[in-house]
Amino acid sequence: MMWVLLPTNTYKHKWLPKLKSRFSSNYFGKQGVMMLIFTFPPLLVAVLSCVYLHLAAKLKPTAKKSDDEEKETRVLATWRKPMLVKGPLGIVTGIELAFLVMFVVLLFWSLFTYFSSSFKSIDATDPAFKNGIRWQLKLDLGGLWLGLVGNICLTLLFFPVARGSAVLQFFGLTSEGSIKYHIWLGHAVMTFFTAHGICYIVYWALMGQMSQQTLKWSRSEISNVAGEISLLAGLGLWATTFPRIRRKMFELFFYTHYLYIVFVVFFVFHVGFTYACYMLPGFYLFLVDRYLRFLQSRRHVRLLSARILPAAGQTLELSFSKSPGLKYSPTSVLFLNVPGISKLQWHPFTVTSNSSLETDELSVVIKGEGKWTKKLYEMVSSSAAADHHFDVSVEGPYGPASTDFLRHETLVMISGGSGIAPFISIIRDLIFTSSHLQLKTPRLILISSFKTTADLAMLHLLLPITAASSAATANLRLTIEAYITREKQAAATSPFHNNNVRTKWFKPSPTHAPISPILGPTASWLWLAAVVSSSFLAFLVIIGILTGYYIYPEGKKHGEAGFPMALTAFLYMLVLCACVAAASSGAFLWNKRKSGRDQTIQIRNVEGATPTAGGSPAGGGAVYEMTEELESLPLRTIEEATNLHYGVRPNLRKLLVEYCTEGGSTGVMVSGPAGLRHEAAAICSSGLADDSLQFESISFSW
C-alpha cells in the first residue's frame, strides 16, 4: 500500500522524484503524479474486490471442504478468539489485535522518522540559530509531523463506514462489525490533529505572531483559517462520540456527526487537494456509497403489515414488500427513516426474514427502547394507523457476503432483550437450508434473558407464520433456554397460551415501491465497479482539461503567486462530486428502468392480496387477527422446545462447557448488552474447552 509508505526515506527521496521526473506534465499540474500514485492503488483494490465478490456469488462452492481447508478454518478460528475482553477497546480478537499492534507501530515509527530527521537537521544548522529559537523551531516541526501522522489515520477513517463497499466484504467484514474500527481511528485522528493545533498555537504565541497567523489565509500555501475551522468542527463532533454522551444524548451525537462535511471540506482547503489525496480513496468510496444510499432513500417503500406484541414489551415486527431479486444474508441490517417522526434520523434494525424463504417480504424487529422507537410503536399500534399511508424510507440491507453456520456441530446463540433479533434470521435461514436444500443443520441452542413473562412474546417471532414453513421446522433441532430474571415463579397458565399478538395491515399507496437492490439484482457488484471506475476516470479527464486550459495558464499570469490553492481545491471537489453523482445516478436509473415493470406488477399483486378484518382480500387496511390454524403451528413448536427458568440469570460457563463437551465445533454467537458479550467472550477465550468454542459478537456498540 504505497499511499501509507510516505514516511520511508527510500520512497520519499528515491522513487517519488524518479516518478515525478519521468511522468511530469502540466496536464494535471505539478503534483498530478502524486494524485495518481496515492489514489489509484486503493481504488483499483476496490474495483477488483467488486469483481471478486461477483464471481464468488456466481461460483459458490458446494463440495465438502478438504482436510487442508478444514485445517485452515481451524487455524483461522484460533486467531478469531477474543484476546482482550474488557477495557476501552472492548472485545478484540487475535487478528484485530495483531493488526492493531502493527498499525500502532507504523504510527510511532513514522513519528520517530519524522522527528529524528528534522531535529538532526536543526541541530546541525549554523550557529546563528543558537539565539534562543532553536526549540521553537522544533515545536513548529513537531506540530507539522503530528499532523502528518494524524493524516495516516485519516486515510483509513472512512473505509469502515462505507456500508455497501466491496472492500469490507472482501476482507470478510461487515459495516456494523467495522464501526469499532471507525471509532478507534476517529479518536486517533482527533488526538493527533488536536496536538497538531496546540503545538502551532503555542508556537505562534511564543513568536508573537498569534493575531497574524490565526487569521492567515494564504493564496498558495497552507491556510491557517481553514485548518482552524476544520479542527473546531472535528472537536465538536468528537465531543459527542464518547459512550456516556452518545448513549444518553443520541440525537445530539447523530446531528453533530454531520459536521464531518465541514471537517473534510476545510481540511482540503487547509492542506490543498493534492495532499488531501492521501485520504481521498476512503472518502471517495464513502462518497459513492453515501450518494447511492441517498438515491435509494428518495422513494418510500411499501409497508405491508406489523405484528404488534403485548404492550409491556413495546415490540413490533414490520414487514415490507421486496422484489424477489433482493438477496441478503442472515444478520443483515436495514436502516429506517420515518419522516413522520424525524426526516433526518436513521436507525439500524436487524432483518429477521430470510430472502429465500420469504421471497416477497422483508421483516425487521423493533423494540421501544428510546424516544424514536417508542414513538414509532405508538404510531403503528394506534387504531388509525391502518387507515392512512405509512411513509417509510430505507437504506440497505447490509450484511456479510456469506455465512457458514453449517461448519458447526452445535450453534449456541446467547441474547439479552431485543438482542434476539439477529438469531431470528439465522433460525429462518437454517429452516430453509434444512427443508429446501436438504442439508444437515447444526443443533441450535438459544439462551435468552428476558425481564418479564410478557417479553417472552419475542419468541413468537422466531418462526415464520406459514403452514409450509412451520411444517419444515420438524427437522430443526432447536432448544430454547428462556430466563425470566424479574419474576420468581411461573404464572398459572402457560405464557404461550396468552397470545396477544396482533397483525395490522396497512393501506397501500401507488407511490410506494418494494425494497429492491440499488444497482440491480444480478450484477450489482459489477455495476458498483463500473460506477467507481467510470466516475474516477471522468474526474481525471475533467480536472486534466480544467488544469491544462484554465488553472495552469491563469497561474502563470500571476507569476510566483500562482493560482489560488483554495479555489483549485474547490473546483476539484466540485468536479469530484459531480462525477460521482453523474455515474451513480446513471447506473441507478438504468437499473430502476429495467426493474420498474416487475415492481409495478408486484405492487398490484400485493394490493390485491391485502386482507381486511374479515380476512378476505380487499384494497383497504385494518387490524387482522390471524387464524388459529396458522398461528398455533409455530407456537406449539416453540413451546415444546422451550425450558423456562424464573428468578435466575443463565450460568453461561456451565452451559457452554456442557454443550461443547458433546463433541465437534461449537459456535457461540452473542447479541445483547455489553456485560453479556464480555462474559461470553471471557469464557470462550479462557481455554476452558480448547478450541471447540468459536466466539462471534453481534453488536453496533463496543
Side-chain angles (χ1 to χ4, degrees), residues 393-413:
S393 298
V394 302
E395 291 180 358
Y398 306 101
S402 62
T403 55
D404 189 14
F405 303 120
L406 301 183
R407 72 182 187 272
H408 301 298
E409 293 293 332
T410 304
L411 187 61
V412 181
M413 300 171 289

Side-chain angles (χ1 to χ4, degrees), residues 29 155 197 207 265 333 368 378 413 434 444 546 554 573 575 579 599 624 641 676 678 697:
T155 300
M207 300 298 291
V265 169
V333 172
E378 293 173 1
M413 300 171 289
S434 174
L444 300 179
L546 184 66
E554 287 294 320
M573 286 189 289
V575 172
C579 290
Q599 288 186 7
Y624 169 63
L676 183 68
H678 292 166
S697 175

Side-chain angles (χ1 to χ4, degrees), residues 16 50 54 160 184 303 314-315 337 359 384 390 445-446 483 490 525 561 686-687:
L16 194 57
C50 292
H54 174 77
W184 297 350
L303 177 61
Q314 288 198 336
T315 303
N337 171 262
T359 57
F390 205 86
I445 310 295
L446 176 61
Y483 291 81
W525 288 121
S686 63

Side-chain angles (χ1 to χ4, degrees), residues 74-89:
R74 288 194 296 270
V75 172
L76 187 60
T78 302
W79 277 93
R80 286 176 174 172
K81 292 184 66 174
M83 301 297 290
L84 300 177
V85 176
K86 296 182 179 181
L89 298 180

Side-chain angles (χ1 to χ4, degrees), residues 276-296:
C277 285
Y278 299 135
M279 55 80 67
L280 179 61
F283 186 74
Y284 192 90
L285 296 177
F286 169 77
L287 191 63
V288 171
D289 177 74
R290 185 66 190 88
Y291 187 73
L292 287 173
R293 289 191 278 126
F294 167 78
L295 293 176
Q296 184 190 21

Side-chain angles (χ1 to χ4, degrees), residues 431-450:
I431 290 175
F432 175 80
T433 302
S434 174
S435 60
H436 292 74
L437 303 182
Q438 301 298 317
L439 295 177
K440 181 183 177 181
T441 58
R443 181 190 176 191
L444 300 179
I445 310 295
L446 176 61
I447 304 173
S448 294
S449 297
F450 303 98

Side-chain angles (χ1 to χ4, degrees), residues 65 237 260 267 315 446 633:
K65 291 184 178 180
L237 186 155
Y260 81 88
F267 171 81
T315 303
L446 176 61
L633 284 172

Side-chain angles (χ1 to χ4, degrees), residues 551-606:
I551 294 178
Y552 184 72
E554 287 294 320
K556 289 185 65 176
K557 293 180 182 179
H558 293 86
E560 294 184 359
F563 195 83
M565 188 174 71
L567 182 56
T568 302
F570 173 76
L571 292 174
Y572 280 13
M573 286 189 289
L574 188 64
V575 172
L576 177 69
C577 294
C579 290
V580 168
S584 301
S585 299
F588 176 79
L589 293 175
W590 178 272
N591 283 281
K592 182 179 179 181
R593 187 182 68 174
K594 290 178 63 178
S595 61
R597 181 179 178 183
D598 295 335
Q599 288 186 7
T600 302
I601 296 173
Q602 185 183 1
I603 290 174
R604 289 174 181 171
N605 292 338
V606 170

